[in-house]
Amino acid sequence: GGQASLAIARSIKPVIAAINGPAVGIGATITLPCHFRIVAEDAKFGFVFGRRGLTMEGTSSFFLTRLVGLTKANDFVLTARVFTAKEEENCGLFTRVVPRDQVLSTAMQVAKDMAVNVSPMSMMLNIHLLQRGFADGESSPEAAHFNESRMMGGWLNPDSAEGVKSFLEKRLPDFKSDPWADTPPFFPWWKEQSVIPNQPR
């Protein structure tokens, strides 16, 4: 579970979890690093490790508290109770809670909107500004300002001109950036830790 969660957390594209059934144990934790969780109202969730004599896994101890706060994480994990998405709709765990038959179409709408309207390079960098902004042990308002300033002032996103031009011309943008090839020279700005034996980073 942990390796899969780290792969999601390191993704350069947004990951959308469309959940229309039970998400208990690893079924819940694998969704936590996702950028969007579109969930059926009656979908059941549970961090039930304690009821099985287990502890948290899949990086859930990192992501859950950051999504819902320590008080609600304590509620979910220490009671190890099962709940429906509707019951906890506003806890911060879910992006959208919708009727079961709308889960996949809603997830597809979110994906299509981003694919059509958002610069791939901006999306990738913003994912990591958000993710690393709360994850980095050296996080601070000053560090956020430094990283944001490098992207806004010290480096030119190849999509910036098209973003402004398409807005002024009142048309959809035609972004051409490649997040694999066009990354700024300071990316990544964090030190990635290897969790696989003998794999250099």
Side-chain angles (χ1 to χ4, degrees), residues 5-73:
S5 294
L6 288 172
I8 295 169
R10 292 170 174 168
S11 175
I12 65 169
K13 296 180 180 179
V15 178
I16 302 172
I19 306 159
N20 60 8
V24 178
I26 193 169
T29 61
I30 195 67
T31 72
L32 299 181
C34 294
H35 307 100
F36 298 87
R37 282 165 298 283
I38 314 296
V39 190
E41 295 170 324
D42 60 348
K44 290 183 178 178
F45 271 74
F47 301 91
V48 299
F49 309 109
R51 296 192 184 211
R52 305 292 171 262
L54 303 171
T55 57
M56 300 175 78
E57 53 78 50
T59 71
S60 57
S61 63
F62 177 85
F63 283 103
L64 185 62
T65 52
R66 287 161 174 82
L67 292 170
V68 303
L70 182 58
T71 299
K72 184 52 81 172

Side-chain angles (χ1 to χ4, degrees), residues 74-179:
N74 282 336
D75 176 21
F76 289 159
V77 175
L78 301 183
T79 68
R81 65 187 176 90
V82 174
F83 55 91
T84 67
K86 187 67 174 172
E87 290 169 347
E88 296 290 351
E89 183 171 5
N90 298 312
C91 72
L93 186 56
F94 311 116
T95 309
R96 297 187 194 167
V97 176
V98 298
R100 178 182 290 268
D101 62 355
Q102 295 177 23
V103 170
L104 189 55
S105 61
T106 301
M108 294 299 291
Q109 286 170 2
V110 171
K112 183 177 180 182
D113 179 64
M114 288 187 291
V116 170
N117 293 300
V118 181
S119 154
M121 180 62 65
S122 295
M123 193 169 345
M124 185 271 286
L125 292 172
N126 285 329
I127 281 172
H128 288 290
L129 282 169
L130 291 167
Q131 191 94 296
R132 305 293 166 176
F134 71 71
D136 194 330
E138 299 178 1
S139 293
S140 67
E142 293 80 9
H145 170 66
F146 177 72
N147 287 325
E148 292 165 6
S149 295
R150 285 196 292 180
M151 291 179 209
M152 293 294 289
W155 168 78
L156 184 63
N157 183 336
D159 286 336
S160 296
E162 172 61 11
V164 173
K165 187 176 180 186
S166 62
F167 173 75
L168 295 175
E169 294 176 357
K170 296 182 172 51
R171 60 171 173 80
L172 291 175
D174 183 23
F175 293 124
K176 304 287 191 187
S177 67
D178 178 353

